[in-house]
Structures are given as C-alpha cells and as structure tokens.
Amino acid sequence: QVQVVESGGGLVQPGGSLRLSCAASGSIFSLRAMGWYRQAPGKQRELVAVITSGGSTNYADSVKGRFTISKDNAKNTVYLQMNSLKPEDTAVYYCNADIRRVGGSWFKYWGQGTQVTVSS
C-alpha cells in the first residue's frame, strides 16, 4: 500500500501566505517526480508546480515568482510555499507522486486534496 496525504490548506486573506505539505508513505521502492495540481469550481485540474527526483522544478505561469516547490527526500515529502496569494488561487490542491512500489511498476498516486481559500 502507498498513501499520499496533503496538509496545510485553509483560509487566508489576499496577499497572505500558506505552506502545503504532502507526504508519501508505504511500500515505496522508488519515487520520481512529485507535484501539485489544483482544481477550482467549474474548471479543469491544472498543474501548479512539479519537482523531479533530481530537483528540477517547473511552474505554471500564473504562480511563477509567488509559489515555491521543494522536497525532503529523506521524508518523501514535498512542500508548496505559496506567497502573495490571490483570490484566483482559490481551489482544491492535490498532490501527485510518481511512485514505484516494492515489487511493482510505476504509478501516479493522488492525495485526497486540501482546500485553499483566498478571501477577505
């Protein structure tokens, strides 16, 4: 079994900051990229940021300069530091982890999502 669990969402005022965490656990043999996606009401899920096992990062244009993705390899954990938040950042944020289970093949696992609401 593999679990991917997000935490850190909440309500914040415009211009504020939040830090999301995502931890992968279980029978993990190897872990490649981990990333954050978001889905606002009535919209498709979109990529926010991704980080590879080598530390390369990629961001959506809408969050460049405001969000920072980082990881702790020892803890199989990825973080998303979100600064200068805007109302349009309001969405459910999902973590995705590309994991190879012990004795298995590569598979993309999703967390349950955490709500981020930016409002005054």
Side-chain angles (χ1 to χ4, degrees):
Q1 283 284 70
V2 171
Q3 297 83 36
V4 176
V5 179
E6 305 103 333
S7 61
L11 173 65
V12 64
Q13 293 187 343
S17 298
L18 278 176
R19 188 191 193 208
L20 305 182
S21 299
C22 170
S25 62
S27 57
I28 298 172
F29 177 77
S30 186
L31 192 152
R32 289 193 299 209
M34 293 185 76
W36 289 96
Y37 293 71
R38 66 186 181 187
Q39 187 167 17
K43 294 188 177 181
Q44 289 189 335
R45 190 172 298 188
E46 63 175 1
L47 174 69
V48 176
V50 64
I51 186 166
T52 69
S53 57
S56 298
T57 59
N58 191 35
Y59 296 91
D61 288 343
S62 59
V63 307
K64 283 180 180 177
R66 300 188 297 122
F67 291 10
T68 302
I69 190 169
S70 61
K71 63 187 178 76
D72 184 332
N73 289 332
K75 297 180 179 180
N76 288 336
T77 298
V78 65
Y79 306 97
L80 186 67
Q81 178 66 43
M82 304 185 294
N83 299 327
S84 302
L85 282 160
K86 305 175 181 179
E88 51 264 43
D89 294 317
T90 295
V92 178
Y93 284 68
Y94 297 92
C95 178
N96 177 272
D98 198 6
I99 292 171
R100 182 179 178 184
R101 290 178 55 186
V102 175
S105 57
W106 291 99
F107 188 79
K108 293 185 182 297
Y109 291 84
W110 290 93
Q112 79 287 354
T114 185
Q115 177 70 45
V116 172
T117 303
V118 185
S119 175
S120 54

